[in-house]
Amino acid sequence: MRRLIAVVLVAVLGLPLLAATPEFSVKPRAIVYPFTATGSSVDREASSRLATIIATEMANTGLVTVIPPPPGTERKDYLSVARAQNADYYVAGFISPLGNGISLVEQLVSTTTGIVIFSQSTQLNTYNEAAAQGDDLAQFVAHHANRAFASIGTPPPQSSPTPAPSSGP
C-alpha cells in the first residue's frame, strides 16, 4: 500500500515538472546610435530620426531591450558608453544620399569584444523600409545573444539494440 501511495505521489507531483519546458533564452540590451552622415545633403535630424525608427521597431519585436543613447555621445565613445549603460550590443553606421533615397550601412557591435559582428548595406526610400531594418537587426541580435543555447534541447533518441535470433527453441 505504501508503494502505491509513493507511486501516485510521484506521478501527481513529478509529471507536471517533466512536461514543463524551461525557457533558455536571454533578452539582450542594445543601443542604437544616430547614423553618421557622409554627405552634406543629409542633416543630423534625419540621421537621428532614422536611428529612432530602427530602435523603436527593435523594441517592438520584444526580442531586444533598447536603451536610448545619451545625447551628445561622440562616435569614438560609442563602445565605452554602451558598456557603461550595460548594453550587450550597439548599432551604428553611416548614411549617404542616393537618388531619391539614402544608402545606409549598419554595423552591429558586441560590447563584450568591441568587434563588428554583423554589417549590412541597404538602400531606403521610405520610413517603412527603415522600420523593417529594425526587425532584421532585432532578430539577429536575439539569435547572436542566444547562440550558446542552441545546443540545449532534447537529446537524440538512443538506438535500440538489434534483436538477435535465439539459440533455443
Side-chain angles (χ1 to χ4, degrees):
M1 186 66 172
R2 284 184 175 181
R3 187 174 273 177
L4 178 63
I5 292 173
V7 169
V8 169
L9 281 175
V10 167
V12 169
L13 299 174
L15 286 179
L17 293 176
L18 289 174
T21 340
E23 183 64 31
F24 290 113
S25 66
V26 296
K27 188 173 181 180
R29 297 167 46 96
I31 294 179
V32 180
Y33 290 109
F35 296 94
T36 303
T38 60
S40 60
S41 64
V42 178
D43 65 352
R44 186 167 175 80
E45 179 66 28
S47 170
S48 294
R49 193 173 333 125
L50 182 62
T52 301
I53 289 169
I54 290 172
T56 301
E57 187 58 32
M58 286 177 72
N60 287 344
T61 65
L63 299 172
V64 179
T65 299
V66 178
I67 305 164
T73 304
E74 293 185 35
R75 188 170 183 82
K76 65 180 180 62
D77 299 323
Y78 283 0
L79 180 59
S80 60
V81 169
R83 285 177 175 164
Q85 297 288 324
N86 293 319
D88 302 302
Y89 302 91
Y90 74 82
V91 177
F94 303 93
I95 183 173
S96 301
L98 181 66
N100 292 333
I102 59 159
S103 174
L104 177 67
V105 176
E106 302 163 323
Q107 298 173 324
L108 178 64
V109 179
S110 167
T111 60
T112 304
T113 62
I115 296 173
V116 175
I117 58 168
F118 177 74
S119 180
Q120 73 178 358
S121 177
T122 188
Q123 296 174 3
L124 304 176
N125 292 311
T126 67
Y127 287 117
N128 286 339
E129 291 173 351
Q133 295 302 306
D135 185 56
D136 290 346
L137 285 167
Q139 294 284 339
F140 188 84
V141 167
H143 177 72
H144 188 269
N146 292 291
R147 68 194 182 283
F149 298 126
S151 62
I152 298 175
T154 308
Q158 299 291 326
S159 61
S160 58
T162 306
S166 64
S167 60

